[in-house]
Amino acid sequence: MDTLHLLFNAVTIVFIAATMFAAGLGATLPALRAVLTNVVLLVLVLLANLVVVPLLGWGVAALFGLPAAASVALLLIASSPGGPFGAKLGMVQSGDVVAGAAMQVLLAAIGSITFGPTANVLLKAAAVGGGVALDVPALMLTVAVLQLVPFAVGLVVRHYAPATALSWHPVAARTSNVTFLAVLAGMLVGNWRDVVALIGSLSLLAGLVFSVLAFTLGTALATGPPARRTTMGSVAAVRNAGPALAAVGLAFGDEPAVLGALAAVLLSGLAAAVLIAAVLSRRRAAALREDA
C-alpha cells in the first residue's frame, strides 16, 4: 500500500509539472501581453474565477447538502482556477484558442498563490473538513514550485528556442494527458468504495451542476465575440486538479473519502464541460456550412 501511495504521489507530481511545462512551451510573450493589456476582459475573468466560482462552489455544496468529504472536494476544486483542460476545450468548441490558453496559464499562475487562502476561507466558512485548516504557506510553496517553475522554464525555452519548444510541446502535452488519466484512475481504483458510495447520492449531480453554472458565469463575465466568451466559460468550468490534489495530501493525508469525492466531482464536472464544448462545436460547424 505504501508503494502504491508513493507511486500515486509521483504520478501526481509529474502531471502537475508536465501540464505547466507544456503550457509554458505553448505560450508566447505577445499572447500573454495581449491578455494582460485587455483590462476589461482581464478584470472580469479574474473576478469570475477567483471570486464568483469559489463562492458558487460553496453555494452548490450547501444547496445539495453534501456530506463533509464531498463538500471538501467541491470547495477545493472551486478554489483552484486555471485547469489545463479549459484551453483544450476551447479548441474542441472551435473557440478563441489563443485567448483561452493565455488566460488559463495566467489563472494557473495566480491560482497557485490564491488557492491556499481561498480554500482555507471556504473550508472555515462551510465548517467542513473536521476543523482541519490548510497550511497556507506550505501549500503556496508546494503549488508555486510545481506550477510556476515548470511554466517559467517552458516559457523561456519557447522565447529563446522556439523550434525546440515546438518539438517538445507534443511530448509534454501527451505526458500531461496520460498522467492526468492515470491520476484519475488512481483515485478511482484506490478509493473505489468511496466513489461507489457516492452513486445515488447528490455528489455527482452537484459536480455536474457546478460545472454548468461555472461555464455560464464564465461566459457571462467576459467580453468580445461569442467564441471568446464561451472559451472563457470553458476556462471557468474546468478547474485545476493539481492544487486540489496537493491540498488533499498536505491537509487531509490523502484521506480515501476525500480523494474518492474529488475524483467523482472532477469526472462529473469534466463530463459536463466536454458535452457543452461538443454541442458548441457542432453548432459552429453547422453555421459554417450554412455560410458556405
Side-chain angles (χ1 to χ4, degrees):
M1 184 62 68
D2 289 339
T3 301
L4 291 177
H5 180 73
L6 291 174
L7 179 61
F8 174 79
N9 287 340
V11 173
T12 300
I13 291 172
V14 172
F15 158 65
I16 298 171
T19 297
M20 295 310 299
F21 182 59
L25 292 174
T28 63
L29 292 178
L32 292 177
R33 280 196 296 267
V35 172
L36 292 174
T37 54
N38 191 335
V39 177
V40 175
L41 176 64
L42 179 63
V43 170
L44 288 174
V45 171
L46 290 177
L47 175 65
N49 285 272
L50 301 179
V51 179
V52 177
V53 173
L55 291 176
L56 172 66
W58 182 20
V60 170
L63 177 65
F64 283 89
L66 298 180
S71 292
V72 168
L74 184 55
L75 293 177
L76 292 178
I77 292 169
S79 302
S80 184
F85 274 84
K88 293 180 183 180
L89 289 180
M91 298 177 64
V92 172
Q93 63 168 268
S94 301
D96 190 334
V97 178
V98 173
M103 195 61 72
Q104 178 263 311
V105 168
L106 179 65
L107 286 169
I110 295 175
S112 68
I113 299 172
T114 63
F115 169 75
T118 302
N120 213 15
V121 168
L122 290 181
L123 288 172
K124 288 183 178 179
V128 293
V132 176
L134 296 179
D135 185 344
V136 174
L139 184 57
M140 287 175 63
L141 178 62
T142 300
V143 174
V145 169
L146 288 180
Q147 293 198 88
L148 293 183
V149 171
F151 173 69
V153 171
L155 188 62
V156 169
V157 173
R158 176 62 185 266
H159 183 69
Y160 291 103
T164 301
L166 292 176
S167 66
W168 286 1
H169 186 266
V171 177
R174 282 195 296 270
T175 302
S176 172
N177 292 341
V178 171
T179 51
F180 176 72
L181 295 175
V183 168
L184 285 179
M187 288 191 293
L188 289 171
V189 172
N191 308 281
W192 65 269
R193 291 184 180 85
D194 299 285
V195 176
V196 170
L198 293 176
I199 298 176
S201 71
L202 296 176
S203 300
L204 293 174
L205 179 60
L208 188 148
V209 170
F210 167 76
S211 182
V212 172
L213 291 178
F215 174 87
T216 302
L217 291 171
T219 301
L221 292 173
T223 60
R228 172 173 289 184
R229 295 177 65 194
T230 57
T231 300
M232 295 303 104
S234 290
V235 170
V238 180
R239 313 302 282 175
N240 196 347
L245 288 168
V248 173
L250 285 172
F252 299 95
D254 288 329
E255 183 179 333
V258 179
L259 274 176
L262 191 68
V265 173
L266 280 172
L267 285 173
S268 61
L270 183 59
V274 169
L275 179 60
I276 292 172
V279 170
L280 287 172
S281 176
R282 291 181 181 179
R283 289 182 178 177
R284 285 170 181 158
L288 288 176
R289 287 195 297 268
E290 290 177 0
D291 293 339

